[in-house]
Amino acid sequence: MTSEEVKLNVEKALEEIRPFLESDGGNISLVSIDNDKLVKVKLEGACVGCSVNQMTLKSGVEMTIKKYAPQIEQVINID
């Protein structure tokens, strides 16, 4: 999978996740993808400072991204 395909797949994953975040007043945007393995995202709106945002990031966002792009090893939130 090329870097461009990885980016497209990560964007597809974020589109799948976004409605759930928006329903709680939040959002997410892609910051960067490093070495086709590390995805940096920015949680926005109500997600900032939410007590469960790390759980959402790991169990929701990271899991969905890995479904679309299995070579991704980690997803981190950039404040």
Side-chain angles (χ1 to χ4, degrees):
M1 193 177 290
T2 68
S3 292
E4 187 60 31
E5 289 170 324
V6 170
K7 183 175 188 246
L8 287 172
N9 284 346
V10 169
E11 290 284 5
K12 284 180 196 172
L14 294 180
E15 287 301 316
E16 181 178 315
I17 297 159
R18 195 165 279 122
F20 299 104
L21 298 175
E22 289 173 341
S23 71
D24 287 330
N27 206 340
I28 191 168
S29 58
L30 177 62
V31 175
S32 66
I33 302 172
D34 299 344
N35 301 319
D36 292 340
K37 293 181 181 175
L38 173 66
V39 175
K40 294 179 182 174
V41 297
K42 182 167 178 62
L43 292 170
E44 302 165 345
C47 293
V48 176
C50 173
S51 62
V52 295
N53 71 8
Q54 285 306 308
M55 188 177 73
T56 298
L57 191 67
K58 289 294 172 196
S59 65
V61 177
E62 188 171 280
M63 193 172 73
T64 304
I65 287 174
K66 286 179 176 181
K67 181 174 77 175
Y68 283 86
Q71 71 274 34
I72 297 299
E73 293 175 0
Q74 187 178 16
V75 178
I76 60 170
N77 180 47
I78 304 299
D79 293 326

